[in-house]
Amino acid sequence: MSVLIKNGRLVNASEDFVADLFVENETISAIGKNLDYTADKIIDASGKLVFPGGIDPHVHLDMPFMGTFSSDDYETGTRAALFGGTTTVIDFILQTQGDTLRNALTTWQEKSKGKAIGDYSYHMAVTDFNDDVAKEVVEMIEEEGITSFKTFMAYKGALMIDDGQMVQLMKVVEKHGGLVTVHATNGDMIDSLIAKHRAEGKLSPLYHYLSQPEVTEAEASARFIDMLEYTGCTGYIVHMTCEGALNAVRRATLRNQHLFVETCPQYLLVDASVYDNGFESAKWVMSPPIREKKDQEALWSGLNQGLVNVIGTDHCPFNWDQKLMGKDDFSKIPNGHPAIEHRMELIFSEGVHKGKISLNKFVEVTATNPAKIFGMHPRKGSISVGADADIVVFNPNTKHTLSVKSHHMNVDYSSYEGWEVTGKTETVLRRGKIAIEDGECHLKPGSGKFIARGKTTKIL
Ligand code: URP
Ligand code: ZN
Ligand code: ZN
């Protein structure tokens, strides 16, 4: 199969020019003006943007969590991602406390087998660290191509590790060239605020928000960064939401630390007024919660200052009947929201179209940096000869409205219902094959590949 994409505006993290692109089999084989090649398929991309397929490094597919499972599995989740222009996702394997990493890996391999349509990789969440697990960490890096290890400083009793375990894990990961990622919020402070609110009969979703004030994230982020400095490990803070945490990153830059930061569209676009809507606010019950307008401004600035390196989604969808598990008690509402399909279009529309970030920055934070940080570059994350032909042809002028009626995620509401965006993913190639065209997905479940990852590019 060969594809010739003609006259598109090719955008990489540091390039922007009009050219043709020739794809043979799974990879990009030529880029140039007026390429005179015979191809099985020709796409006229005049007036369109052509950029690397998005990489979403923070998704939860078919994940057991808070007494239920996230509602998108590998098939529905990666298909929805492709519709939105994301060709690769990194999901989180969760170690069961008291069990091995190997068993957790096997469980997740079963979840993805025969189902994934987009390409995928795994982070390994270490929820119970000891000497045996330390050996498995090395095995994951050396033998399985799983080079990033997720930690939780919250969700005590299920996922949280203590600071002693964190430091030991960092030492092993550092020695073997991996990366420690973190959900950085102070679990004990949050648990005591949850208990206080419940004891006072304050049970609506608003109290989810009020149980996780900014300080809980700022403190944990700073603590994590200090432990990174102590161990020399490279770190990555997931779903950063607020100015306080970002200021801890600013301080880390004075110490020349190897630290990367991710935020998500919801923290850039939505403010805490979403919690003023009774139980409807359960749509925005996620951790950390949505913050204030001043935090949105800090995060947009952080992107432009190079302090925030990645925009992921933290896609963790639950149907409404699942959210209703917490109808009488906010602490039982499964945390998370659906977003895997909308990241690229939302950030293009609200970021590039509205002038908050450049087109190059858009590609950098949605594709190139995730590829570099998570050891997939140059195979993924840029349009270059020899790279996987994961390509988005995007119409920057098409206006459309996001809705549960038209999205492809397996969830019965849209957090972004009625949201008007400018810019639409039109055609998507995944490793050289037409994945999305004319509003249809043309790839079969099981055609997505596991991507074994290498070590982090420490300098972006
Ligand atoms: O609310 C969230 N974020 N749910 C998914 C799990 C996590 O903390 O990332
Ligand atoms: Zn988290
Ligand atoms: Zn998450």
Side-chain angles (χ1 to χ4, degrees), residues 316-348:
C316 192
F318 296 101
N319 280 304
W320 195 241
D321 63 343
Q322 296 174 288
K323 288 283 185 183
L324 283 170
M325 290 162 67
K327 177 169 60 64
D328 301 318
D329 178 352
F330 70 88
S331 70
K332 297 193 167 57
I333 301 170
N335 287 200
H337 90 315
I340 201 167
E341 188 167 351
H342 299 320
R343 176 182 68 133
M344 305 290 277
E345 289 175 353
L346 277 171
I347 297 302
F348 179 85

PDB file of all heavy atoms in Angstrom, residues 316-348:
ATOM      1  N   CYS A 316     -10.666   8.701  31.328  1.00  0.00           N
ATOM      2  CA  CYS A 316     -11.102   7.651  32.257  1.00  0.00           C
ATOM      3  C   CYS A 316     -12.627   7.746  32.329  1.00  0.00           C
ATOM      4  O   CYS A 316     -13.191   8.315  33.274  1.00  0.00           O
ATOM      5  CB  CYS A 316     -10.439   7.866  33.624  1.00  0.00           C
ATOM      6  SG  CYS A 316     -10.653   6.447  34.722  1.00  0.00           S
ATOM      7  N   PRO A 317     -13.305   7.211  31.299  1.00  0.00           N
ATOM      8  CA  PRO A 317     -14.752   7.452  31.156  1.00  0.00           C
ATOM      9  C   PRO A 317     -15.591   6.503  32.003  1.00  0.00           C
ATOM     10  O   PRO A 317     -15.240   5.325  32.177  1.00  0.00           O
ATOM     11  CB  PRO A 317     -14.975   7.152  29.673  1.00  0.00           C
ATOM     12  CG  PRO A 317     -13.954   6.099  29.351  1.00  0.00           C
ATOM     13  CD  PRO A 317     -12.760   6.386  30.216  1.00  0.00           C
ATOM     14  N   PHE A 318     -16.696   7.028  32.499  1.00  0.00           N
ATOM     15  CA  PHE A 318     -17.692   6.189  33.182  1.00  0.00           C
ATOM     16  C   PHE A 318     -19.068   6.612  32.686  1.00  0.00           C
ATOM     17  O   PHE A 318     -19.333   7.817  32.546  1.00  0.00           O
ATOM     18  CB  PHE A 318     -17.604   6.375  34.701  1.00  0.00           C
ATOM     19  CG  PHE A 318     -16.282   5.920  35.261  1.00  0.00           C
ATOM     20  CD1 PHE A 318     -15.291   6.840  35.584  1.00  0.00           C
ATOM     21  CD2 PHE A 318     -16.008   4.567  35.426  1.00  0.00           C
ATOM     22  CE1 PHE A 318     -14.054   6.440  36.067  1.00  0.00           C
ATOM     23  CE2 PHE A 318     -14.768   4.148  35.918  1.00  0.00           C
ATOM     24  CZ  PHE A 318     -13.795   5.081  36.232  1.00  0.00           C
ATOM     25  N   ASN A 319     -19.922   5.618  32.436  1.00  0.00           N
ATOM     26  CA  ASN A 319     -21.296   5.937  32.052  1.00  0.00           C
ATOM     27  C   ASN A 319     -22.031   6.556  33.238  1.00  0.00           C
ATOM     28  O   ASN A 319     -21.588   6.457  34.386  1.00  0.00           O
ATOM     29  CB  ASN A 319     -22.003   4.668  31.554  1.00  0.00           C
ATOM     30  CG  ASN A 319     -21.604   4.364  30.116  1.00  0.00           C
ATOM     31  OD1 ASN A 319     -21.768   5.201  29.228  1.00  0.00           O
ATOM     32  ND2 ASN A 319     -21.061   3.179  29.892  1.00  0.00           N
ATOM     33  N   TRP A 320     -23.183   7.146  32.904  1.00  0.00           N
ATOM     34  CA  TRP A 320     -23.902   7.881  33.942  1.00  0.00           C
ATOM     35  C   TRP A 320     -24.352   6.964  35.075  1.00  0.00           C
ATOM     36  O   TRP A 320     -24.311   7.343  36.249  1.00  0.00           O
ATOM     37  CB  TRP A 320     -25.079   8.645  33.312  1.00  0.00           C
ATOM     38  CG  TRP A 320     -25.616   9.677  34.248  1.00  0.00           C
ATOM     39  CD1 TRP A 320     -26.870   9.743  34.766  1.00  0.00           C
ATOM     40  CD2 TRP A 320     -24.896  10.790  34.800  1.00  0.00           C
ATOM     41  NE1 TRP A 320     -26.989  10.824  35.618  1.00  0.00           N
ATOM     42  CE2 TRP A 320     -25.789  11.484  35.651  1.00  0.00           C
ATOM     43  CE3 TRP A 320     -23.591  11.265  34.675  1.00  0.00           C
ATOM     44  CZ2 TRP A 320     -25.413  12.620  36.368  1.00  0.00           C
ATOM     45  CZ3 TRP A 320     -23.213  12.402  35.393  1.00  0.00           C
ATOM     46  CH2 TRP A 320     -24.115  13.057  36.226  1.00  0.00           C
ATOM     47  N   ASP A 321     -24.748   5.729  34.748  1.00  0.00           N
ATOM     48  CA  ASP A 321     -25.168   4.837  35.848  1.00  0.00           C
ATOM     49  C   ASP A 321     -23.981   4.505  36.751  1.00  0.00           C
ATOM     50  O   ASP A 321     -24.146   4.228  37.940  1.00  0.00           O
ATOM     51  CB  ASP A 321     -25.874   3.564  35.331  1.00  0.00           C
ATOM     52  CG  ASP A 321     -24.976   2.679  34.483  1.00  0.00           C
ATOM     53  OD1 ASP A 321     -23.926   3.183  34.011  1.00  0.00           O
ATOM     54  OD2 ASP A 321     -25.308   1.494  34.289  1.00  0.00           O
ATOM     55  N   GLN A 322     -22.776   4.559  36.217  1.00  0.00           N
ATOM     56  CA  GLN A 322     -21.597   4.369  37.063  1.00  0.00           C
ATOM     57  C   GLN A 322     -21.375   5.599  37.953  1.00  0.00           C
ATOM     58  O   GLN A 322     -21.090   5.473  39.142  1.00  0.00           O
ATOM     59  CB  GLN A 322     -20.359   4.093  36.202  1.00  0.00           C
ATOM     60  CG  GLN A 322     -20.451   2.780  35.412  1.00  0.00           C
ATOM     61  CD  GLN A 322     -19.283   2.609  34.463  1.00  0.00           C
ATOM     62  OE1 GLN A 322     -19.194   3.302  33.452  1.00  0.00           O
ATOM     63  NE2 GLN A 322     -18.382   1.693  34.780  1.00  0.00           N
ATOM     64  N   LYS A 323     -21.514   6.787  37.377  1.00  0.00           N
ATOM     65  CA  LYS A 323     -21.375   8.015  38.177  1.00  0.00           C
ATOM     66  C   LYS A 323     -22.415   8.030  39.315  1.00  0.00           C
ATOM     67  O   LYS A 323     -22.144   8.519  40.418  1.00  0.00           O
ATOM     68  CB  LYS A 323     -21.544   9.252  37.280  1.00  0.00           C
ATOM     69  CG  LYS A 323     -20.363   9.517  36.336  1.00  0.00           C
ATOM     70  CD  LYS A 323     -19.190  10.138  37.095  1.00  0.00           C
ATOM     71  CE  LYS A 323     -18.043  10.518  36.184  1.00  0.00           C
ATOM     72  NZ  LYS A 323     -16.874  11.059  36.921  1.00  0.00           N
ATOM     73  N   LEU A 324     -23.591   7.435  39.020  1.00  0.00           N
ATOM     74  CA  LEU A 324     -24.659   7.425  40.033  1.00  0.00           C
ATOM     75  C   LEU A 324     -24.311   6.575  41.265  1.00  0.00           C
ATOM     76  O   LEU A 324     -24.998   6.654  42.289  1.00  0.00           O
ATOM     77  CB  LEU A 324     -25.968   6.913  39.414  1.00  0.00           C
ATOM     78  CG  LEU A 324     -26.722   7.923  38.538  1.00  0.00           C
ATOM     79  CD1 LEU A 324     -27.868   7.245  37.786  1.00  0.00           C
ATOM     80  CD2 LEU A 324     -27.244   9.092  39.376  1.00  0.00           C
ATOM     81  N   MET A 325     -23.241   5.782  41.176  1.00  0.00           N
ATOM     82  CA  MET A 325     -22.793   5.042  42.365  1.00  0.00           C
ATOM     83  C   MET A 325     -22.521   6.002  43.527  1.00  0.00           C
ATOM     84  O   MET A 325     -22.538   5.617  44.695  1.00  0.00           O
ATOM     85  CB  MET A 325     -21.502   4.255  42.058  1.00  0.00           C
ATOM     86  CG  MET A 325     -21.692   3.083  41.112  1.00  0.00           C
ATOM     87  SD  MET A 325     -20.125   2.536  40.369  1.00  0.00           S
ATOM     88  CE  MET A 325     -19.255   1.908  41.781  1.00  0.00           C
ATOM     89  N   GLY A 326     -22.265   7.264  43.198  1.00  0.00           N
ATOM     90  CA  GLY A 326     -21.981   8.257  44.238  1.00  0.00           C
ATOM     91  C   GLY A 326     -23.097   9.277  44.407  1.00  0.00           C
ATOM     92  O   GLY A 326     -22.860  10.390  44.870  1.00  0.00           O
ATOM     93  N   LYS A 327     -24.302   8.882  44.043  1.00  0.00           N
ATOM     94  CA  LYS A 327     -25.460   9.801  44.109  1.00  0.00           C
ATOM     95  C   LYS A 327     -25.621  10.406  45.509  1.00  0.00           C
ATOM     96  O   LYS A 327     -25.944  11.575  45.659  1.00  0.00           O
ATOM     97  CB  LYS A 327     -26.680   8.960  43.720  1.00  0.00           C
ATOM     98  CG  LYS A 327     -28.028   9.580  43.761  1.00  0.00           C
ATOM     99  CD  LYS A 327     -29.063   8.688  43.090  1.00  0.00           C
ATOM    100  CE  LYS A 327     -29.237   7.310  43.710  1.00  0.00           C
ATOM    101  NZ  LYS A 327     -29.729   7.182  45.056  1.00  0.00           N
ATOM    102  N   ASP A 328     -25.378   9.589  46.551  1.00  0.00           N
ATOM    103  CA  ASP A 328     -25.584  10.075  47.917  1.00  0.00           C
ATOM    104  C   ASP A 328     -24.273  10.350  48.643  1.00  0.00           C
ATOM    105  O   ASP A 328     -24.273  10.622  49.850  1.00  0.00           O
ATOM    106  CB  ASP A 328     -26.390   9.028  48.717  1.00  0.00           C
ATOM    107  CG  ASP A 328     -27.730   8.756  48.053  1.00  0.00           C
ATOM    108  OD1 ASP A 328     -28.369   9.735  47.615  1.00  0.00           O
ATOM    109  OD2 ASP A 328     -28.106   7.571  47.943  1.00  0.00           O
ATOM    110  N   ASP A 329     -23.156  10.214  47.933  1.00  0.00           N
ATOM    111  CA  ASP A 329     -21.855  10.380  48.602  1.00  0.00           C
ATOM    112  C   ASP A 329     -20.779  10.615  47.534  1.00  0.00           C
ATOM    113  O   ASP A 329     -20.406   9.697  46.802  1.00  0.00           O
ATOM    114  CB  ASP A 329     -21.552   9.111  49.416  1.00  0.00           C
ATOM    115  CG  ASP A 329     -20.190   9.179  50.111  1.00  0.00           C
ATOM    116  OD1 ASP A 329     -19.433  10.135  49.844  1.00  0.00           O
ATOM    117  OD2 ASP A 329     -19.897   8.268  50.895  1.00  0.00           O
ATOM    118  N   PHE A 330     -20.307  11.861  47.469  1.00  0.00           N
ATOM    119  CA  PHE A 330     -19.332  12.230  46.426  1.00  0.00           C
ATOM    120  C   PHE A 330     -18.116  11.300  46.404  1.00  0.00           C
ATOM    121  O   PHE A 330     -17.508  11.087  45.352  1.00  0.00           O
ATOM    122  CB  PHE A 330     -18.865  13.681  46.612  1.00  0.00           C
ATOM    123  CG  PHE A 330     -17.987  13.885  47.820  1.00  0.00           C
ATOM    124  CD1 PHE A 330     -16.611  13.719  47.742  1.00  0.00           C
ATOM    125  CD2 PHE A 330     -18.536  14.255  49.049  1.00  0.00           C
ATOM    126  CE1 PHE A 330     -15.798  13.892  48.853  1.00  0.00           C
ATOM    127  CE2 PHE A 330     -17.733  14.416  50.171  1.00  0.00           C
ATOM    128  CZ  PHE A 330     -16.360  14.232  50.072  1.00  0.00           C
ATOM    129  N   SER A 331     -17.761  10.725  47.577  1.00  0.00           N
ATOM    130  CA  SER A 331     -16.519   9.929  47.618  1.00  0.00           C
ATOM    131  C   SER A 331     -16.685   8.586  46.911  1.00  0.00           C
ATOM    132  O   SER A 331     -15.712   7.864  46.709  1.00  0.00           O
ATOM    133  CB  SER A 331     -16.060   9.720  49.061  1.00  0.00           C
ATOM    134  OG  SER A 331     -16.942   8.836  49.730  1.00  0.00           O
ATOM    135  N   LYS A 332     -17.904   8.271  46.500  1.00  0.00           N
ATOM    136  CA  LYS A 332     -18.132   7.009  45.776  1.00  0.00           C
ATOM    137  C   LYS A 332     -18.340   7.234  44.277  1.00  0.00           C
ATOM    138  O   LYS A 332     -18.577   6.285  43.515  1.00  0.00           O
ATOM    139  CB  LYS A 332     -19.338   6.286  46.371  1.00  0.00           C
ATOM    140  CG  LYS A 332     -19.131   5.884  47.828  1.00  0.00           C
ATOM    141  CD  LYS A 332     -20.191   4.904  48.297  1.00  0.00           C
ATOM    142  CE  LYS A 332     -19.825   4.250  49.617  1.00  0.00           C
ATOM    143  NZ  LYS A 332     -19.577   5.191  50.714  1.00  0.00           N
ATOM    144  N   ILE A 333     -18.265   8.470  43.826  1.00  0.00           N
ATOM    145  CA  ILE A 333     -18.391   8.733  42.380  1.00  0.00           C
ATOM    146  C   ILE A 333     -17.085   8.305  41.707  1.00  0.00           C
ATOM    147  O   ILE A 333     -16.007   8.803  42.076  1.00  0.00           O
ATOM    148  CB  ILE A 333     -18.618  10.243  42.102  1.00  0.00           C
ATOM    149  CG1 ILE A 333     -19.885  10.739  42.794  1.00  0.00           C
ATOM    150  CG2 ILE A 333     -18.684  10.504  40.589  1.00  0.00           C
ATOM    151  CD1 ILE A 333     -20.048  12.261  42.762  1.00  0.00           C
ATOM    152  N   PRO A 334     -17.129   7.390  40.740  1.00  0.00           N
ATOM    153  CA  PRO A 334     -15.872   7.018  40.073  1.00  0.00           C
ATOM    154  C   PRO A 334     -15.213   8.261  39.459  1.00  0.00           C
ATOM    155  O   PRO A 334     -15.870   9.041  38.771  1.00  0.00           O
ATOM    156  CB  PRO A 334     -16.308   6.028  38.987  1.00  0.00           C
ATOM    157  CG  PRO A 334     -17.691   5.620  39.330  1.00  0.00           C
ATOM    158  CD  PRO A 334     -18.287   6.683  40.190  1.00  0.00           C
ATOM    159  N   ASN A 335     -13.947   8.423  39.750  1.00  0.00           N
ATOM    160  CA  ASN A 335     -13.217   9.627  39.313  1.00  0.00           C
ATOM    161  C   ASN A 335     -12.780   9.500  37.864  1.00  0.00           C
ATOM    162  O   ASN A 335     -12.123   8.506  37.501  1.00  0.00           O
ATOM    163  CB  ASN A 335     -11.940   9.811  40.151  1.00  0.00           C
ATOM    164  CG  ASN A 335     -12.188  10.288  41.580  1.00  0.00           C
ATOM    165  OD1 ASN A 335     -11.286  10.815  42.219  1.00  0.00           O
ATOM    166  ND2 ASN A 335     -13.391  10.103  42.103  1.00  0.00           N
ATOM    167  N   GLY A 336     -13.108  10.490  37.062  1.00  0.00           N
ATOM    168  CA  GLY A 336     -12.596  10.496  35.694  1.00  0.00           C
ATOM    169  C   GLY A 336     -13.635  10.965  34.704  1.00  0.00           C
ATOM    170  O   GLY A 336     -14.830  11.038  35.020  1.00  0.00           O
ATOM    171  N   HIS A 337     -13.178  11.319  33.506  1.00  0.00           N
ATOM    172  CA  HIS A 337     -14.102  11.779  32.465  1.00  0.00           C
ATOM    173  C   HIS A 337     -13.597  11.389  31.082  1.00  0.00           C
ATOM    174  O   HIS A 337     -12.429  11.038  30.910  1.00  0.00           O
ATOM    175  CB  HIS A 337     -14.344  13.288  32.599  1.00  0.00           C
ATOM    176  CG  HIS A 337     -13.397  14.161  31.829  1.00  0.00           C
ATOM    177  ND1 HIS A 337     -12.036  13.955  31.816  1.00  0.00           N
ATOM    178  CD2 HIS A 337     -13.626  15.231  31.033  1.00  0.00           C
ATOM    179  CE1 HIS A 337     -11.476  14.877  31.046  1.00  0.00           C
ATOM    180  NE2 HIS A 337     -12.406  15.655  30.559  1.00  0.00           N
ATOM    181  N   PRO A 338     -14.497  11.399  30.081  1.00  0.00           N
ATOM    182  CA  PRO A 338     -14.116  11.008  28.723  1.00  0.00           C
ATOM    183  C   PRO A 338     -13.499  12.162  27.939  1.00  0.00           C
ATOM    184  O   PRO A 338     -14.048  13.261  27.943  1.00  0.00           O
ATOM    185  CB  PRO A 338     -15.452  10.602  28.085  1.00  0.00           C
ATOM    186  CG  PRO A 338     -16.506  11.318  28.865  1.00  0.00           C
ATOM    187  CD  PRO A 338     -15.943  11.665  30.206  1.00  0.00           C
ATOM    188  N   ALA A 339     -12.385  11.908  27.252  1.00  0.00           N
ATOM    189  CA  ALA A 339     -11.736  13.001  26.505  1.00  0.00           C
ATOM    190  C   ALA A 339     -10.840  12.524  25.375  1.00  0.00           C
ATOM    191  O   ALA A 339     -10.357  13.339  24.586  1.00  0.00           O
ATOM    192  CB  ALA A 339     -10.908  13.849  27.463  1.00  0.00           C
ATOM    193  N   ILE A 340     -10.604  11.228  25.259  1.00  0.00           N
ATOM    194  CA  ILE A 340      -9.583  10.714  24.339  1.00  0.00           C
ATOM    195  C   ILE A 340      -9.791  11.207  22.899  1.00  0.00           C
ATOM    196  O   ILE A 340      -8.836  11.419  22.165  1.00  0.00           O
ATOM    197  CB  ILE A 340      -9.577   9.156  24.405  1.00  0.00           C
ATOM    198  CG1 ILE A 340      -8.267   8.561  23.916  1.00  0.00           C
ATOM    199  CG2 ILE A 340     -10.761   8.543  23.650  1.00  0.00           C
ATOM    200  CD1 ILE A 340      -8.106   7.057  24.257  1.00  0.00           C
ATOM    201  N   GLU A 341     -11.066  11.399  22.540  1.00  0.00           N
ATOM    202  CA  GLU A 341     -11.390  11.766  21.156  1.00  0.00           C
ATOM    203  C   GLU A 341     -11.195  13.252  20.881  1.00  0.00           C
ATOM    204  O   GLU A 341     -11.018  13.659  19.736  1.00  0.00           O
ATOM    205  CB  GLU A 341     -12.853  11.377  20.880  1.00  0.00           C
ATOM    206  CG  GLU A 341     -13.284  11.528  19.431  1.00  0.00           C
ATOM    207  CD  GLU A 341     -14.616  10.851  19.160  1.00  0.00           C
ATOM    208  OE1 GLU A 341     -15.125  10.116  20.047  1.00  0.00           O
ATOM    209  OE2 GLU A 341     -15.151  11.057  18.061  1.00  0.00           O
ATOM    210  N   HIS A 342     -11.252  14.064  21.932  1.00  0.00           N
ATOM    211  CA  HIS A 342     -11.381  15.506  21.702  1.00  0.00           C
ATOM    212  C   HIS A 342     -10.115  16.317  21.930  1.00  0.00           C
ATOM    213  O   HIS A 342     -10.103  17.518  21.680  1.00  0.00           O
ATOM    214  CB  HIS A 342     -12.492  16.068  22.603  1.00  0.00           C
ATOM    215  CG  HIS A 342     -13.836  15.459  22.331  1.00  0.00           C
ATOM    216  ND1 HIS A 342     -14.277  15.189  21.065  1.00  0.00           N
ATOM    217  CD2 HIS A 342     -14.827  15.068  23.173  1.00  0.00           C
ATOM    218  CE1 HIS A 342     -15.493  14.651  21.121  1.00  0.00           C
ATOM    219  NE2 HIS A 342     -15.838  14.562  22.375  1.00  0.00           N
ATOM    220  N   ARG A 343      -9.055  15.669  22.436  1.00  0.00           N
ATOM    221  CA  ARG A 343      -7.866  16.422  22.828  1.00  0.00           C
ATOM    222  C   ARG A 343      -7.327  17.288  21.688  1.00  0.00           C
ATOM    223  O   ARG A 343      -7.120  18.504  21.848  1.00  0.00           O
ATOM    224  CB  ARG A 343      -6.783  15.439  23.280  1.00  0.00           C
ATOM    225  CG  ARG A 343      -5.455  16.075  23.627  1.00  0.00           C
ATOM    226  CD  ARG A 343      -4.439  15.014  24.009  1.00  0.00           C
ATOM    227  NE  ARG A 343      -4.083  14.189  22.868  1.00  0.00           N
ATOM    228  CZ  ARG A 343      -2.852  13.865  22.514  1.00  0.00           C
ATOM    229  NH1 ARG A 343      -1.835  14.304  23.247  1.00  0.00           N
ATOM    230  NH2 ARG A 343      -2.609  13.110  21.476  1.00  0.00           N
ATOM    231  N   MET A 344      -7.116  16.688  20.514  1.00  0.00           N
ATOM    232  CA  MET A 344      -6.451  17.414  19.434  1.00  0.00           C
ATOM    233  C   MET A 344      -7.329  18.577  18.945  1.00  0.00           C
ATOM    234  O   MET A 344      -6.840  19.695  18.766  1.00  0.00           O
ATOM    235  CB  MET A 344      -6.136  16.473  18.271  1.00  0.00           C
ATOM    236  CG  MET A 344      -5.331  15.240  18.627  1.00  0.00           C
ATOM    237  SD  MET A 344      -3.643  15.586  19.066  1.00  0.00           S
ATOM    238  CE  MET A 344      -2.871  15.695  17.458  1.00  0.00           C
ATOM    239  N   GLU A 345      -8.606  18.308  18.756  1.00  0.00           N
ATOM    240  CA  GLU A 345      -9.485  19.361  18.221  1.00  0.00           C
ATOM    241  C   GLU A 345      -9.705  20.465  19.256  1.00  0.00           C
ATOM    242  O   GLU A 345      -9.719  21.650  18.911  1.00  0.00           O
ATOM    243  CB  GLU A 345     -10.810  18.754  17.755  1.00  0.00           C
ATOM    244  CG  GLU A 345     -10.620  17.915  16.480  1.00  0.00           C
ATOM    245  CD  GLU A 345     -11.871  17.176  16.016  1.00  0.00           C
ATOM    246  OE1 GLU A 345     -12.880  17.198  16.750  1.00  0.00           O
ATOM    247  OE2 GLU A 345     -11.828  16.569  14.922  1.00  0.00           O
ATOM    248  N   LEU A 346      -9.861  20.098  20.525  1.00  0.00           N
ATOM    249  CA  LEU A 346     -10.040  21.131  21.556  1.00  0.00           C
ATOM    250  C   LEU A 346      -8.804  22.021  21.671  1.00  0.00           C
ATOM    251  O   LEU A 346      -8.906  23.247  21.763  1.00  0.00           O
ATOM    252  CB  LEU A 346     -10.310  20.478  22.919  1.00  0.00           C
ATOM    253  CG  LEU A 346     -11.741  20.043  23.214  1.00  0.00           C
ATOM    254  CD1 LEU A 346     -11.780  19.224  24.505  1.00  0.00           C
ATOM    255  CD2 LEU A 346     -12.685  21.235  23.331  1.00  0.00           C
ATOM    256  N   ILE A 347      -7.643  21.392  21.670  1.00  0.00           N
ATOM    257  CA  ILE A 347      -6.426  22.188  21.866  1.00  0.00           C
ATOM    258  C   ILE A 347      -6.098  23.002  20.612  1.00  0.00           C
ATOM    259  O   ILE A 347      -5.638  24.146  20.699  1.00  0.00           O
ATOM    260  CB  ILE A 347      -5.242  21.280  22.304  1.00  0.00           C
ATOM    261  CG1 ILE A 347      -5.558  20.642  23.666  1.00  0.00           C
ATOM    262  CG2 ILE A 347      -3.932  22.051  22.370  1.00  0.00           C
ATOM    263  CD1 ILE A 347      -5.845  21.620  24.791  1.00  0.00           C
ATOM    264  N   PHE A 348      -6.395  22.445  19.448  1.00  0.00           N
ATOM    265  CA  PHE A 348      -6.206  23.253  18.234  1.00  0.00           C
ATOM    266  C   PHE A 348      -7.121  24.470  18.301  1.00  0.00           C
ATOM    267  O   PHE A 348      -6.696  25.607  18.084  1.00  0.00           O
ATOM    268  CB  PHE A 348      -6.490  22.427  16.959  1.00  0.00           C
ATOM    269  CG  PHE A 348      -6.323  23.263  15.729  1.00  0.00           C
ATOM    270  CD1 PHE A 348      -5.070  23.428  15.151  1.00  0.00           C
ATOM    271  CD2 PHE A 348      -7.402  23.948  15.182  1.00  0.00           C
ATOM    272  CE1 PHE A 348      -4.896  24.260  14.048  1.00  0.00           C
ATOM    273  CE2 PHE A 348      -7.235  24.789  14.082  1.00  0.00           C
ATOM    274  CZ  PHE A 348      -5.987  24.933  13.511  1.00  0.00           C
TER     275      PHE A 348
END
